[in-house]
Amino acid sequence: MRARRWHGVLAVAALGLALNAPPASAADYERLLNGTFSSGTMDPWWAGSGTTGHVTGGEFCTDVTGGTANGYDALSGQNGVPFEAGQQYTLTFDAHATTTQQISAVAGEAVSPYRQISRTDVTVTPTTQHFTVTFTSTLDFPAAGDGQLAFWFGGQAADNTVCLDNISLIGGVVPPGGLPPTSGIRVNQDGYAPGLPKKATLISDSTIPLTWTLKNAAGTAVTTGQTRPRGADAPSGENVHEIDFSAFDVTGTGYTLTVGTETSFPFAISADGLKKLRYDSLAFFYNQRSGIPIDAKYVGAEYARPAGHVNVAPNQGDNNVPCRSDLNCGYTLDVRGGWYDAGDHGKYVVNGGIAAWELLDEYERATRLGDASALGDGKLAIPEQGNGVPDILDEARWEVDFLLSMQVPDGKPNAGMVHHKIHDAQWTALPTRPDQDSQPRRLSAPSTAATLNMAAVAAQAARLWRTIDAAYADKLLAAAEKAYAAAKAHPAMLADPNDGTGGGTYSDNTVTDEFYWAAAELFATTGKSAYRTDVTGSSLYRGVSFNTHGFDWGSTGALGDITLALVPTDLPAADITAIKTAITTTADSHLTQMAAMGYPAPYRTADGTYEWGSNGLVANNGVVLALAYDLTKQEKYRDGAFAAMDYLLGRNPANYSYVSGHGDQPVKNVHHRFWAHEVDAALPIAPPGALSGGPNSGLQDPTAARLLAGCAPQRCFVDDIEAYSVNEVAVNWNAALAWLANWTAEKAPSGVDTTAPSAPGKPTVAAVTSTGATLSWTASADAESGVTGYEVVSGGKVLATVTGTTATLTGLSPSTAYSVVVRARNGAGLASTDSPAAEFTTTSESGGCTVTYAANTWSGGFTATVSMKNTGTTAWPSWTLGFTFPGNQKVTQGWSATWSQSGANVTAKAMSWNGSVAPGQTIAIGFNGSYSGSNGNPTAFTMNGKACG
């Protein structure tokens, strides 16, 4: 879809005139687009009110109505022109006019307050002249911002035509194109599924492996490895390395990868992001509904809005829409409902058809090959929840009913055919909320492609509703069969490729694929021989439509084959096998291509470029990989489907998650008339779950052309609302995302570890004492959540808990036999079986010491010397001596120990300098004391609580 906007005039303020200035240096940059008009179009130049612009003879000519008062009353120009304050610019152009008059070349601001940088008045004559203007910018306008170059033609009494050519603006020092500086490590910003491959891409010119480190949310390194250099990567234009950290599988959030000074965006190892995306991607469709209020109860206040196009002013409504005036169809249709197709307010049968089919197929595939419980009633935030119908079918019905409403009524010319599209008579301004759209609405002509789209989807829906609402299923099937018969009667009513005013053309010159698709759906639903004949007689039968480019709205044959591969029919088994083989063969081709890519994406064009909506094709080719896994259960296909999701969620050269609301740098400014925060701060950014169209080498809008000139295919992207050729959203792309998101959510391991670690080895016992021992053992293993610690157990009692494979036991009983085992625990808290037991007996209790006590006594006082010898086999790391006086002695002053006394009990504790006593070593301490009566020596001593000899 394409749309344009242009801002108002520049305020009048005369600035300096500089003619015939020297040209800018060759190092400067061209800032205008399509200044030679060699393409035959004026885009992105615009002509203001009171003027008509056209390209004639390779020149941009503007017909000006006379009688205006001011120069800016009639003007043309180009928006989004970048200017840098303090930089010099040189403007050159050729000009002539039917009648001599003054015009002004004005550089400045396109929106209020319309500040000017430069205004130059020149006189143009019927003879072509070349003009050169130089000026220095006083304002800063970034690329694709509000900078503007305009030519003023007003203030003249008579009508005139002014023609311009070879318009060039050279200057500035900031180069055009490229992307904002970001990390050189590209990851799936939303998260990697536990138990599946986890790969990232590093930008580096190094030809040797580099060390990568994975860090957790606390910044602690949890594992490391070496990159794999891959060299030059053509789609990205970069030299890259691969980082493979698949072996690490501990669930969590906030992980980052680091190589040197480069650090990636944070990401999770968890299936939670995919499970959320399953529903966010489907919520996109409720947000896109036409003809119903979007309720804050379901989307939040930020995204709530009144119903669009229900004939409430200023809407003219979709309840009574006529055909385009040149068609003279003689009737109107009530085509309320359906989904707005993209960033505009159009509703297109061929794009809505594949989008509805893909949602219905998502459900049908889940019922036959997967798990449909996640798509049931009550799973989506929509008004129909709780009605007993799976919510995804309720959402699809909103579009299916619209498709039926586009059918030509009985009794009218071309009855049974389906109108191609309905949209505004002119392109709707950006931004415009749907309920504020005042444009008239018009039906385009019926087309064979649209008719077959409706037939295919209605037949598919009839199959799914047969057990839910038989009457509705009958209605659907009747409409489908009528449409198919009408298409066969009118097999070449092709959409007009020039019908692009106010909406996209969606023209398609080949409808063989639509015929095959519709026949396959009708046959799978009815089993009728006529449809069987059309299927088997088609040149596309047996999977011919599958190719590496992929299926989309203009190439739908593969949709019929997917249905035939899923839904049982009486077709020959060998033919169904051929269809399935076509799926797996195509998937194999995707995998071969992806293996050679620095940023693997299942996407291929003949010339290597990327095209409008490339992300939608990536997602649909991911669907092919997913189906190949469903049919074979070969893990390579599953891994390829997840790799496609990695690309969409951030492992790409743009370093964006192309899905809004998912990842640390998601797209925000998609091209949309309501999610338009970038141009109106009162409006929201895109809600979570919207897929941007993605890289597009064509750069078919002025903003992309200005910002991305010369881009490598995968880098042709910018997150800008004006860049509609790379950053629009559309129902068909989001339907592909929703299908793939649901599948990956279904196939992603939960991350809940249910497997205990292996048992540790038998402990080895050493350094046994009367109260302790040291144990060591071989480590356990746990491939899922990792071993987090060990417990040493004896008699059911945990004696020690450690993180390593060695434990020192203390507090054991002397002369006691012990039997100990070790068990491991993992990150999920699961315990291993016990290790083999180890037995040992602690030694007998002994202080391992001798004490000699000597006193020098005088009347009422004495001095005592105490000698202590370590008679054991191990050192004392510290010591505490204890004894009891036999009389009323008191310690009055001590040395070489910290002395204390309670009653007759005395304690001496080691000082910092004499606490360590080696085996065989003797140390001496002492004190002064007092007494009355007799002064007998203590007879028993303890060392560290144990008796000394």
Side-chain angles (χ1 to χ4, degrees):
M1 303 305 302
R2 298 188 183 186
R4 306 175 182 87
R5 69 181 176 111
W6 61 277
H7 294 298
V9 300
L10 294 164
V12 179
L15 297 179
L17 172 67
L19 297 178
N20 302 316
S25 70
D28 291 330
Y29 301 106
E30 175 62 64
R31 301 306 185 178
L32 298 177
L33 299 174
N34 192 26
T36 64
F37 310 100
S38 58
S39 65
T41 69
M42 55 186 277
D43 195 27
W45 296 88
W46 46 261
S49 60
T51 68
T52 302
H54 50 90
V55 174
T56 302
E59 297 179 319
F60 174 33
C61 297
T62 305
D63 299 330
V64 182
T65 302
T68 56
N70 305 295
Y72 55 80
D73 289 336
L75 74 169
S76 65
Q78 184 173 134
N79 292 339
V81 180
F83 293 106
E84 302 162 51
Q87 295 299 315
Q88 180 175 283
Y89 293 83
T90 298
L91 170 67
T92 58
F93 60 95
D94 298 335
H96 65 89
T98 302
T99 303
T100 299
Q101 76 160 84
Q102 177 181 293
I103 68 171
S104 302
V106 184
E109 188 171 24
V111 296
S112 179
Y114 308 116
R115 295 170 294 172
Q116 287 189 4
I117 296 170
S118 169
R119 171 182 164 182
T120 301
D121 300 329
V122 300
T123 299
V124 294
T125 69
T127 301
T128 300
Q129 300 177 76
H130 181 73
F131 298 94
T132 300
V133 180
T134 61
F135 59 89
T136 298
S137 179
T138 56
L139 300 174
D140 264 313
F141 293 116
D146 288 323
Q148 182 187 78
L149 178 71
F151 291 92
W152 295 359
F153 307 130
Q156 307 297 315
D159 295 351
N160 202 4
T161 297
V162 182
C163 295
L164 304 169
D165 197 6
N166 300 316
I167 311 172
S168 173
L169 180 68
I170 301 291
V173 296
V174 177
L179 294 165
T182 52
S183 166
I185 303 175
R186 313 307 203 219
V187 298
N188 178 332
Q189 298 173 22
D190 211 31
Y192 295 87
L196 298 182
K198 304 172 193 68
K199 296 181 180 180
T201 302
L202 167 72
I203 303 171
S204 174
D205 293 330
S206 174
T207 59
I208 61 173
L210 302 173
T211 299
W212 58 262
T213 302
L214 179 67
K215 298 180 180 180
N216 62 19
T220 303
V222 293
T223 190
T224 189
Q226 295 290 300
T227 65
R228 175 192 170 200
R230 299 189 63 107
D233 179 58
S236 67
E238 300 168 348
N239 290 309
V240 299
H241 290 218
E242 179 183 86
I243 299 172
D244 187 342
F245 59 106
S246 304
F248 186 82
D249 226 17
V250 179
T251 57
T253 60
Y255 287 107
T256 55
L257 281 167
T258 298
V259 178
T261 60
E262 298 288 350
T263 298
S264 72
F265 283 118
F267 57 87
I269 297 178
S270 169
D272 291 349
L274 289 172
K275 294 180 189 299
K276 184 175 185 296
L277 181 55
R278 161 193 272 158
Y279 299 120
D280 285 348
S281 58
L282 288 171
F284 173 89
F285 296 93
Y286 175 64
N287 277 284
Q288 288 289 99
R289 286 191 190 185
S290 177
I292 187 176
I294 304 305
D295 196 328
K297 175 182 178 181
Y298 306 111
V299 299
E302 186 177 12
Y303 295 100
R305 59 173 173 80
H309 300 100
V310 290
N311 219 23
V312 174
N315 277 179
Q316 296 190 30
D318 284 353
N319 61 318
N320 196 31
V321 180
C323 293
R324 223 176 51 221
S325 58
D326 59 309
L327 298 177
N328 299 316
C329 65
Y331 56 85
T332 63
L333 292 182
D334 183 347
V335 291
R336 287 173 291 182
W339 300 319
Y340 296 121
D341 179 76
D344 64 317
H345 298 153
K347 297 186 289 190
Y348 306 83
V349 170
V350 295
N351 215 41
I354 187 174
W357 179 90
E358 204 143 6
L359 262 60
L360 294 172
D361 183 74
E362 178 182 337
Y363 177 77
E364 186 165 36
R365 174 258 153 208
T367 63
R368 295 181 182 276
L369 299 178
D371 178 8
S373 62
L375 303 172
D377 189 25
K379 295 297 185 179
L380 299 183
I382 58 176
E384 297 84 0
Q385 61 183 195
N387 65 355
V389 177
D391 284 344
I392 193 170
L393 297 186
D394 283 324
E395 187 57 67
R397 181 171 179 168
W398 194 260
E399 179 70 8
V400 172
D401 286 346
F402 160 74
L403 299 179
L404 266 62
S405 74
M406 293 285 281
Q407 193 164 31
V408 176
D410 291 342
K412 302 298 181 181
N414 303 315
M417 294 292 284
V418 174
H419 287 271
H420 198 70
K421 56 180 182 166
I422 174 261
H423 54 66
D424 289 348
Q426 300 292 327
W427 282 105
T428 319
L430 177 72
T432 303
R433 203 170 65 187
D435 62 289
Q436 297 171 341
D437 179 9
S438 60
Q439 288 270 350
R441 306 281 276 176
R442 296 291 182 262
L443 290 167
S444 289
S447 73
T448 305
T451 304
L452 292 168
N453 264 263
M454 190 274 266
V457 174
Q460 175 197 35
R463 186 168 68 243
L464 296 175
W465 259 274
R466 178 58 57 194
T467 59
I468 298 172
D469 184 338
Y472 182 56
D474 289 342
K475 174 185 176 182
L476 291 168
L477 186 56
E481 295 198 284
K482 180 190 293 185
Y484 188 76
K488 294 195 76 172
H490 303 281
M493 291 183 66
L494 304 181
D496 182 359
N498 298 311
D499 182 15
T501 301
T505 62
Y506 283 107
S507 58
D508 184 359
N509 292 330
T510 303
V511 293
T512 306
D513 50 330
E514 281 85 3
F515 269 113
Y516 180 68
W517 171 32
E521 295 295 348
L522 283 161
F523 175 61
T525 298
T526 69
K528 291 182 179 179
S529 60
Y531 301 129
R532 188 184 198 278
T533 298
D534 286 354
V535 168
T536 58
S538 171
S539 61
L540 301 181
Y541 185 44
R542 293 167 53 97
V544 174
S545 296
F546 284 100
N547 57 62
T548 53
H549 180 265
F551 59 85
D552 59 13
W553 67 266
S555 180
T556 59
L559 309 185
D561 279 322
I562 290 172
T563 290
L564 295 177
L566 291 179
V567 181
T569 65
D570 67 355
L571 290 172
D575 292 354
I576 300 303
T577 298
I579 292 172
K580 294 179 178 179
T581 299
I583 293 173
T584 57
T585 299
T586 304
D588 284 330
S589 184
H590 286 313
L591 294 179
T592 298
Q593 176 211 12
M594 292 167 72
M597 299 179 73
Y599 300 91
Y603 180 84
R604 188 182 310 173
T605 57
D607 60 1
T609 60
Y610 274 49
E611 61 197 283
W612 199 315
S614 63
N615 281 344
L617 284 163
V618 169
N620 274 333
N621 288 330
V623 169
V624 173
L625 287 161
L627 288 170
Y629 177 80
D630 281 341
L631 297 174
T632 69
K633 296 300 184 288
Q634 292 186 42
E635 292 181 354
K636 63 179 182 178
Y637 300 126
R638 176 201 64 192
D639 296 348
F642 275 88
M645 192 64 84
D646 288 345
Y647 172 85
L648 296 176
L649 290 171
R651 190 189 175 194
N652 56 64
N655 209 18
Y656 275 97
S657 167
Y658 289 126
V659 181
S660 59
H662 285 258
D664 261 44
Q665 184 164 272
V667 293
K668 298 178 180 178
N669 304 310
V670 300
H671 182 79
H672 196 275
R673 279 160 177 73
F674 176 43
W675 308 330
H677 183 79
E678 191 175 14
V679 294
D680 185 343
L683 296 175
I685 62 171
L691 177 65
S692 167
N696 174 13
S697 304
L699 307 180
Q700 291 111 319
D701 68 80
T703 296
R706 192 187 309 281
L707 295 179
L708 300 170
C711 55
Q714 284 187 336
R715 287 183 63 90
C716 294
F717 178 78
V718 62
D719 182 29
D720 191 292
I721 194 171
E722 298 280 13
Y724 49 83
S725 69
V726 300
N727 204 32
E728 192 164 18
V729 295
V731 289
N732 61 320
W733 304 334
N734 241 79
L737 174 68
W739 197 110
L740 187 60
N742 178 70
W743 189 91
T744 51
E746 177 188 295
K747 298 304 179 186
S750 67
V752 177
D753 188 351
T754 59
T755 304
S758 63
K762 180 179 179 179
T764 299
V765 184
V768 178
T769 68
S770 61
T771 59
T774 299
L775 307 181
S776 59
W777 55 88
T778 56
S780 298
D782 189 281
E784 292 178 292
S785 55
V787 175
T788 57
Y790 298 89
E791 298 166 353
V792 179
V793 182
S794 178
K797 179 181 179 182
V798 176
L799 302 181
T801 300
V802 294
T803 57
T805 57
T806 300
T808 299
L809 307 182
T810 60
L812 304 182
S813 299
S815 304
T816 302
Y818 285 89
S819 177
V820 297
V821 295
V822 180
R823 65 175 66 118
R825 287 196 181 272
N826 64 11
L830 301 174
S832 70
T833 57
D834 293 342
S835 70
E839 286 80 22
F840 65 92
T841 302
T842 55
T843 61
S844 60
E845 184 176 20
S846 168
C849 62
T850 58
V851 176
T852 302
Y853 182 97
N856 181 18
T857 303
W858 65 88
S859 178
F862 67 98
T863 297
T865 301
V866 184
S867 297
M868 304 173 293
K869 181 178 182 180
N870 182 352
T871 60
T873 58
T874 60
W876 301 341
S878 187
W879 50 265
T880 299
L881 174 71
F883 59 88
T884 301
F885 283 129
N888 62 358
Q889 296 98 324
K890 303 290 185 186
V891 175
T892 58
Q893 180 186 16
W895 53 87
S896 300
T898 299
W899 293 87
S900 61
Q901 183 173 351
S902 176
N905 298 320
V906 178
T907 300
K909 294 185 177 181
M911 307 290 285
S912 61
W913 51 270
N914 65 356
S916 178
V917 183
Q921 182 181 355
T922 299
I923 60 172
I925 61 177
F927 63 93
N928 292 327
S930 63
Y931 72 96
S932 60
S934 61
N935 182 27
N937 292 342
T939 59
F941 300 88
T942 62
M943 176 58 66
N944 294 330
K946 301 171 185 175
C948 284

